[in-house]
Amino acid sequence: MAGTPPSHRVSTPSEVEGIEKVVTDFLRYARPVSLDLAEVDLREMVETLVRDMSEEAATAGAEIEIQGTFPRIVADEALIRQALRNLLVNALESFVPAGPGPAGGTQRAGTRRVILRGIPETGAPGGVRLLVEDNGAGIASEDLPHIFTPFFTTKERGTGLGLALAQKTAVVHDGQIEVRSQPGEGTVFPLYLPPRPGGPTPPGPL
Ligand SMILES: Nc1ncnc2c1ncn2[C@@H]1O[C@H](COP(=O)(O)OP(=O)(O)O)[C@@H](O)[C@H]1O
Ligand SMILES: [Mg+2]
């Protein structure tokens, strides 16, 4: 429009950070993966991950608990760590109210629970079910079919790539990721990783 000065906006540092995050998340999502398989001590991985996230958890007014059993598996350690991290970040963010409302979210601090649970598959040594559970806001039923779609986000500063990446990781491991959610109650993401040939074999007779 003639007479209207062009509006140039200079991105603020936090906007630049946001853009960088979208780009790196997208490249991670779009890049073909070659699986870097090795034996992974899941217990050690989740303990380190949860320790590294303790500050983020404290900021969200929550604590991440580790429960269950974490076996050694054969997997791509970096991909699994990233997927679990994305699920845990979402769990911590589930305590923040989506719209305007009382600061601090719907859950009172002290009752905010995030659990990272390990359940080895019985009858399938080397297979494991990893569950990330929260008692946050839950997911609206109309959003549920879309949450794994790249760029779907309900967050003002979301990239919509966290779950797409976690699902890609599940798929390239021949596994599966699912979701169960109840608005107002919380959400569970089960990530199933099947046993891999060449993985740890059960002790047997010589
Ligand atoms: N634990 C959770 N609790 C509530 N909503 C969730 C949870 N995890 C994912 N979601 C929903 O799924 C959407 C997509 O998640 P994700 O792919 O990680 O992107 P982002 O976190 O950047 O929005 C989120 O915007 C949110 O609406
Ligand atoms: Mg996310």
Side-chain angles (χ1 to χ4, degrees):
M1 257 189 289
T4 312
S7 62
H8 291 294
R9 274 184 74 249
V10 177
S11 299
T12 62
S14 71
E15 283 175 314
V16 174
E17 267 171 41
I19 293 162
E20 277 167 6
K21 176 151 173 50
V22 175
V23 172
T24 44
D25 280 359
F26 179 69
L27 289 178
R28 269 200 206 115
Y29 174 73
R31 191 178 50 198
V33 279
S34 54
L35 273 187
D36 186 6
L37 292 175
E39 193 168 309
V40 178
D41 183 340
L42 270 184
R43 156 90 22 201
E44 194 190 315
M45 183 211 277
V46 301
E47 280 174 358
T48 309
L49 177 63
V50 168
R51 204 178 318 123
D52 290 348
M53 291 182 69
S54 59
E55 220 167 288
E56 281 161 271
T59 304
E63 216 173 300
I64 305 171
E65 267 177 58
I66 298 172
Q67 289 188 15
T69 305
F70 295 84
R72 287 173 175 275
I73 62 167
V74 172
D76 187 312
E77 181 159 10
L79 289 181
I80 302 293
R81 188 193 293 107
Q82 181 72 47
L84 290 176
R85 176 167 232 294
N86 292 353
L87 295 176
L88 289 169
V89 167
N90 281 345
L92 293 175
E93 288 172 349
S94 75
F95 301 118
V96 178
T106 49
Q107 306 282 329
R108 276 177 299 117
T111 67
R112 299 173 172 196
R113 245 185 332 103
V114 174
I115 299 170
L116 174 47
R117 195 187 301 282
I119 306 174
E121 284 290 290
T122 51
V128 67
R129 202 171 288 273
L130 301 169
L131 297 98
V132 176
E133 311 173 359
D134 69 64
N135 62 346
I139 302 171
S141 57
E142 65 266 29
D143 290 340
L144 217 45
H146 308 295
I147 57 168
F148 293 104
T149 305
F151 303 113
F152 177 84
T153 182
T154 58
K155 298 168 192 169
E156 206 174 319
R157 317 208 76 122
T159 67
L161 287 167
L163 289 179
L165 269 158
Q167 187 181 50
K168 181 177 176 182
T169 292
V171 168
V172 295
H173 281 86
D174 303 316
Q176 206 169 310
I177 188 167
E178 289 163 9
V179 59
R180 291 194 292 274
S181 189
Q182 190 70 48
E185 300 281 327
T187 304
V188 183
F189 282 94
L191 168 62
Y192 172 62
L193 299 170
R196 295 201 78 87
T201 43
L206 284 177

